[in-house]
């Protein structure tokens, strides 16, 4: 069964994994923020599998492992996000 999530169709299994990855990311936000501020990170199965300043390189590396990684940017402390 496929679920539509933010315009992307994902299987229930993939959606469940991404939700677990997001929860893990939230639980480890402070540690990740200290280590990866100003970078993009890709998370698969509660592990950072790729990180760096170039979004496309991070995506390319992560999608070699899984076609649907959770990818986001880690803000720099004190920088206003608009």
């Amino acid at each position: 069964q496929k679920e539509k999530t933010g315009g992307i169709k994902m299987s229930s299994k993939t959606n469940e994994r991404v939700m677990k990855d997001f929860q893990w990311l939230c639980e480890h936000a402070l540690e990740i923020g200290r280590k990866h501020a100003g970078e993009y990170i890709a998370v698969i199965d509660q592990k950072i599998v790729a990180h760096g300043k170039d979004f496309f390189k991070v995506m390319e590396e992560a999608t070699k492992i899984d076609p649907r990684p959770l990818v986001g940017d880690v803000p720099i402390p004190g920088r206003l996000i608009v």
Side-chain angles (χ1 to χ4, degrees), residues 16-53:
E16 183 180 326
R17 182 191 51 81
V18 170
M19 293 303 289
K20 284 181 180 179
D21 288 344
F22 183 75
Q23 182 177 358
W24 177 86
L25 184 62
C26 291
E27 290 169 359
H28 295 86
L30 290 175
E31 175 188 345
I32 292 167
R34 283 192 294 270
K35 208 170 183 182
H36 298 288
E39 293 185 335
Y40 293 97
I41 61 167
V43 177
I44 298 171
D45 293 327
Q46 295 93 56
K47 290 182 277 190
I48 296 174
V49 297
H51 64 92
K53 301 270 184 194

Side-chain angles (χ1 to χ4, degrees), residues 3-81:
E3 261 183 65
K4 194 168 183 182
T5 310
I8 299 171
K9 290 184 180 179
M10 290 193 274
S11 70
S12 294
K13 184 177 179 180
T14 300
N15 189 36
E16 183 180 326
R17 182 191 51 81
V18 170
M19 293 303 289
K20 284 181 180 179
D21 288 344
F22 183 75
Q23 182 177 358
W24 177 86
L25 184 62
C26 291
E27 290 169 359
H28 295 86
L30 290 175
E31 175 188 345
I32 292 167
R34 283 192 294 270
K35 208 170 183 182
H36 298 288
E39 293 185 335
Y40 293 97
I41 61 167
V43 177
I44 298 171
D45 293 327
Q46 295 93 56
K47 290 182 277 190
I48 296 174
V49 297
H51 64 92
K53 301 270 184 194
D54 185 317
F55 172 82
F56 295 104
K57 287 182 182 177
V58 171
M59 275 298 289
E60 181 180 12
E61 194 173 327
T63 54
K64 289 177 185 176
I65 300 166
D66 188 286
R68 300 255 191 240
L70 176 63
V71 179
D73 61 325
V74 181
I76 296 171
R79 187 172 281 182
L80 180 62
I81 301 171

